[in-house]
Amino acid sequence: MPAIDPPSVMPNPATKSSTDRVASVAIGAFIIAALYFGREVFVPVALAILFSFVLAPLVKGLQKLRIPRALAVFTVVLIAFATLATLTMAMVGQATQLAGQLPTYQSTMRAKIAALKGSEAGSGVLSRAADILQDLSKELDRPEAEFPPSSEVAGRSREGRPIPVEVHQPEPGAIETLQAFLSPLLHPLTTTGIVLIFVVFILLKREDLRNRFIRLTGTYDLQKTTAAFDDAARRLSRLFLTQLIVNAGFGVVIGCGLWVIGVPSSLLWGILAAILRFIPYLGAVLSAVFPMVIAASVDPGWMMLALTAGLFLITEPLVGHVIEPLAYGRSTGLSPVAIVVAATFWTWLWGPIGLVLATPLTVCLVVLGRHVERLEFLDVMLGDRPPLSAPEIFYQRILAGDPAEAADKAEEVLKERSLSAYYDEVALEGLRLAAADEARGVLDAARRNQILVTVREVVEDLSDHDDTRPALNVATADAETEAAVEQTDESEGTSDLPVLAAAELGETFTGRDRVVCIGARSQLDEAAALMLSQILEKHGLAAEALPPNTLLTSGMVQLAERDPALICLCYIGPQSAAHMKYALRRLRRHMPLAILVLGQLSQVSDPKTDDKGPSLADAVETSLRGICRVCLKFAAKGAPT
């Protein structure tokens, strides 16, 4: 018998997809583990990258003054790290001075605690607890000689009395003293040195590092990828530099205000306020706690505490809600949930330094996700842009049978755009998504009926709006509305779509039922016809939307009795040349004097003028505004028929 080849086994897409998901999860877990266990290396690298984004504009500024790049880099880095060292020394000095003054504030705090408890100083529960803790501290600090160990009891004099024995540590030598002094400073100095080296090399080899990253992400579209990375680097540099300036200004205002109020160590609290403000949401609150505690400890009354609290309550909202929106734009590009999740994640991963770096690092990831296709999931998960486009949101709302929310979103867009622009660029695009689902066989008749009912209610809710672009732009309410406004296109404008008065209409267009809009095949076409009829109404043509069964024999007879002057045939689903041809032929046979306008509104509109179907129409258009423009030309007095 001849050998029979075994059947080839085709790979299962589901298995392949499941394998890819498992591999992605494994890679993600490996990256997180590497970041956690290698934090001693990755934290300095992250700090260096953020510093390079902040310092890059300054280096470019010096280069524009014809200063060599190496000299510009070393100058900027030297000034930056010298400034950081100066601020660090100032903070250490202020903290040391404050620590020496803390015992003098004890009596004031105890008096206030007693006053809050409604009793004399020292008799309150908190004061007694403080006394107990203080006595316990004295007991723990008592010299060990007063309590000799049992081994020392054996050494007694002839009279039986114990001989006191004292154990003294030898005086530390120069090496031990130096080691004890440098040990606490070793780790911060090492981290600072690593950051300094990385910052210098990143600024010197910035373009080379960019090209290598482009190589890793793909070179299939080199021009687009390069432009994306340049734009991302420019945006991040501007964002971080602006954030640094704003937070530094916040710290200066807080420090000066506390100095005027009289709070001790005002320089320390100003620097701390600038640093803590990098922490989202909680930073400003944390920066206010310490000065308020010190103010309550210094002043026997409550005026200093009230002034300190008022300083933060005025300054933080002013910076957060007035200055930052003007400096950053709408936002940093992060969703509020992403900011909280990122702060939690980076704090768990890298500790307090991760909390400070959470927002800048997450902004970097979101910018990469917006420009690198392979990392798009980062923008979807962490960014503030809507995960669905405006047409997708419209389709989802009408698919769910929620006309109220769909109309509410539409009215927000209509504050800045015209009605026809919204219908063409958002609603019609949403219906095209529905038509694609219908073509794939996943949209049954019940769903199509639900879409038609919902669209009819949305159109009815928007009937009070004129088809004119608002003269004044109103600030959008949220990110979804902003995306919808950006989605709409007024390039065609509505200035060339006049509103025809009754006296301007031709004789055949006077009266009711002179214009009809027919949904050609399904409920989706009828939904498009509903929107078209409303636009025509806004411009002076009384129009009515009719269902697809109008093209049947019985419906055609009833339509011929009405004798319309103009018929718009709307196709939004998959176009069938045969259906289009015979529909136009029937209309022409029953109403030979009517004007036929064919609306090919599918996603890929291709008017086939060489086909016998579209050639039977008097005009072919691919948008609702285009159909409206043609109908107005036919309806105007003196227009050729």
Side-chain angles (χ1 to χ4, degrees), residues 9 22 35 108 127 138 142 204 229 231 261 266 301 381 393 500 506 519 530 548 554 556 578 582 600 636:
V9 179
V22 172
L35 290 174
T108 304
S127 297
K138 290 180 180 180
R142 182 175 298 178
L204 286 175
F229 272 92
D231 177 65
I261 294 172
S266 58
M381 294 174 58
I393 294 174
L500 297 181
L530 284 171
S554 57
M556 197 71 70
Y582 286 107
Q600 291 184 318

Side-chain angles (χ1 to χ4, degrees), residues 210 298 309 334 342 344-345 357 438 468 518 554:
R210 178 202 62 195
V298 173
L334 303 180
T344 305
F345 173 77
L357 297 178
E438 181 187 14
T468 56
I518 303 176
S554 57

Side-chain angles (χ1 to χ4, degrees), residues 43-129:
V43 168
V45 173
L47 287 171
I49 293 174
L50 295 179
F51 274 123
S52 66
F53 278 122
V54 173
L55 300 179
L58 304 179
V59 173
K60 288 184 178 180
L62 292 181
Q63 285 185 278
K64 290 180 180 180
L65 300 177
R66 299 187 179 278
I67 297 177
R69 180 167 188 165
L71 180 59
V73 169
F74 284 113
T75 301
V76 170
V77 172
L78 181 61
I79 294 175
F81 278 83
T83 304
L84 290 177
T86 303
L87 293 177
T88 303
M89 294 177 62
M91 290 181 64
V92 172
Q94 292 272 297
T96 303
Q97 181 182 0
L98 180 64
Q101 296 174 351
L102 285 179
T104 62
Y105 305 146
Q106 183 178 6
S107 59
T108 304
M109 285 299 297
R110 294 182 60 171
K112 287 189 175 182
I113 293 174
L116 291 176
K117 286 296 182 178
S119 59
E120 296 180 357
S123 61
V125 177
L126 295 179
S127 297
R128 291 198 298 271

Side-chain angles (χ1 to χ4, degrees), residues 273-526:
I275 296 174
L276 291 178
R277 206 173 181 282
F278 283 95
I279 301 175
Y281 300 122
L282 295 178
V285 177
L286 293 176
S287 64
V289 170
F290 301 105
M292 291 174 64
V293 172
I294 297 299
S297 303
V298 173
D299 186 13
W302 301 99
M303 181 57 67
M304 184 178 292
L305 176 61
L307 293 175
T308 303
L311 175 64
F312 281 92
L313 290 176
I314 294 175
T315 306
E316 170 56 26
L318 181 64
V319 174
H321 298 287
V322 178
I323 297 178
E324 278 189 346
L326 294 176
Y328 299 154
R330 264 191 66 89
S331 67
T332 58
L334 303 180
S335 67
V337 176
I339 292 177
V340 176
V341 172
T344 305
F345 173 77
W346 290 109
T347 304
W348 166 78
L349 201 63
W350 288 349
I353 190 66
L355 182 61
V356 176
L357 297 178
T359 300
L361 289 175
T362 310
V363 169
C364 291
L365 295 178
V366 170
V367 171
L368 287 177
R370 290 185 179 180
H371 290 87
V372 181
E373 184 177 356
R374 297 180 182 179
L375 303 177
E376 185 181 4
F377 70 95
L378 295 174
D379 182 27
V380 175
M381 294 174 58
L382 304 174
D384 63 347
R385 297 194 300 183
L388 300 178
S389 65
E392 289 171 339
I393 294 174
F394 178 83
Y395 177 37
Q396 195 274 334
R397 288 296 85 204
I398 62 174
L399 193 62
D402 189 355
E405 185 174 346
D408 183 65
K409 294 294 183 184
E411 289 184 343
E412 291 293 333
V413 178
L414 294 179
K415 294 178 181 179
E416 299 190 45
R417 295 292 186 263
S418 63
L419 182 64
S420 59
Y422 175 79
Y423 279 158
D424 254 337
E425 306 297 340
V426 177
L428 198 62
E429 290 290 340
L431 290 178
R432 286 168 179 161
L433 295 175
D437 285 347
E438 181 187 14
R440 293 189 298 114
V442 297
L443 197 67
D444 56 17
R447 286 285 190 179
R448 294 196 300 270
N449 286 329
Q450 179 65 56
I451 290 174
L452 176 60
V453 171
T454 307
V455 170
R456 179 176 284 110
E457 294 188 28
V458 172
V459 170
E460 177 65 24
D461 291 337
L462 301 180
S463 59
D464 295 334
H465 293 271
D466 294 328
D467 187 26
T468 56
R469 184 175 182 179
L472 297 177
N473 289 338
V474 181
T476 54
D478 51 28
E480 290 185 0
T481 304
E482 183 183 19
V485 170
E486 294 177 356
Q487 178 77 24
T488 55
D489 181 15
E490 293 281 4
S491 59
E492 295 185 26
T494 55
S495 59
D496 57 337
L497 295 180
V499 178
L500 297 181
E504 298 175 318
L505 296 175
E507 294 182 1
T508 57
F509 285 88
T510 56
R512 301 292 303 177
D513 298 335
R514 306 308 299 150
V515 178
V516 294
C517 304
I518 303 176
R521 302 187 64 181
S522 71
Q523 296 92 332
L524 303 181
D525 299 328
E526 185 178 354

